[in-house]
Amino acid sequence: MHMKAKHQKTLQLVFSRPTPSGVKWLDAVALFEALGAVLEEAEGSRVTVYLFDQVKVMHRPHPSPDIDKGAVASIRKWLDENGVKP
């Protein structure tokens, strides 16, 4: 799969160990969209992500733009299970 360098950098950050705390929400959204996702705003800070014929509900971080480590680990597992790796 070919993706822009920015998306590849985000993917590498998500897969880095130890789990990073500096993954930006907007960078993750751009990565999902590059992979073909459709995102839909839901109630409150929820965002529904349609990708890999699956539906995931994620929470937009606030007030910080950074995704917490637990969510990054969850995203890494989801991508890995669907064959997306750096």
Side-chain angles (χ1 to χ4, degrees):
M1 160 185 327
H2 179 73
M3 63 177 72
K4 291 182 179 180
K6 176 180 173 74
H7 305 312
Q8 187 65 35
K9 182 179 173 188
T10 302
L11 187 61
Q12 288 173 342
L13 183 59
V14 167
F15 274 82
S16 64
R17 298 286 187 167
T19 302
S21 58
V23 179
K24 303 287 184 215
W25 171 251
L26 292 179
D27 291 343
V29 166
L31 173 61
F32 296 151
E33 290 174 340
L35 293 169
V38 174
L39 283 80
E40 186 176 285
E41 294 293 322
E43 191 173 328
S45 64
R46 292 180 188 92
V47 176
T48 306
V49 181
Y50 301 92
L51 182 62
F52 311 123
D53 291 325
Q54 300 172 14
V55 178
K56 292 283 185 189
V57 177
M58 299 185 177
H59 290 266
R60 187 182 321 100
H62 55 81
S64 167
D66 296 339
I67 303 171
D68 69 56
K69 289 182 180 189
V72 171
S74 177
I75 291 167
R76 177 176 53 230
K77 182 176 185 238
W78 186 40
L79 294 175
D80 188 41
E81 287 172 346
N82 287 281
V84 178
K85 298 176 184 170

